[in-house]
Amino acid sequence: EQVLRELGEPLADSRSAGSTGVDRFRLFDAVCRQLVEVHRDRPVVIVLDDLHWADEESLAFVDFLAPDAEKCVLVVLATVRLFTSR
């Protein structure tokens, strides 16, 4: 909710025709800034469950987040299920 207030105006769904790379950047940037702000009070842990099912947008966010991880105490825990054929 804080992130949406910070953005000030609604963003287009990233999968819709009206969406732009600018919308995606603004959303990712706002979330990262919020994580850095929360970090001032306490460490932050992000759990990404079933990463093997992640869509391109989710993976793009993880990629965007990586450089900001250096700015704060941030732990990213990702689970991946390995499928094996029998």
Side-chain angles (χ1 to χ4, degrees), residues 46-85:
I46 298 174
V47 178
L48 305 171
D49 192 26
D50 292 335
L51 199 56
H52 54 280
W53 294 117
D55 61 3
E56 286 186 38
E57 292 294 316
S58 300
L59 295 175
F61 175 70
V62 172
D63 215 24
F64 188 91
L65 177 65
D68 279 344
E70 296 176 359
K71 297 177 187 173
C72 60
V73 178
L74 175 65
V75 174
V76 178
L77 174 65
T79 66
V80 179
R81 189 168 308 161
L82 300 177
F83 297 96
T84 60
S85 59

Side-chain angles (χ1 to χ4, degrees), residues 22-51:
V22 173
D23 286 338
R24 183 169 80 168
F25 174 82
R26 287 179 52 225
L27 177 61
F28 288 0
D29 186 56
V31 171
C32 288
R33 280 186 278 124
Q34 190 66 33
L35 288 171
V36 169
E37 186 65 32
V38 167
H39 150 264
R40 294 176 202 264
D41 297 328
R42 59 196 161 278
V44 176
V45 176
I46 298 174
V47 178
L48 305 171
D49 192 26
D50 292 335
L51 199 56

Side-chain angles (χ1 to χ4, degrees), residues 4 7-28 57:
L4 296 178
L7 289 172
E9 61 188 61
L11 298 173
D13 184 311
S14 60
R15 294 164 294 220
S16 71
S19 175
T20 66
V22 173
D23 286 338
R24 183 169 80 168
F25 174 82
R26 287 179 52 225
L27 177 61
F28 288 0
E57 292 294 316

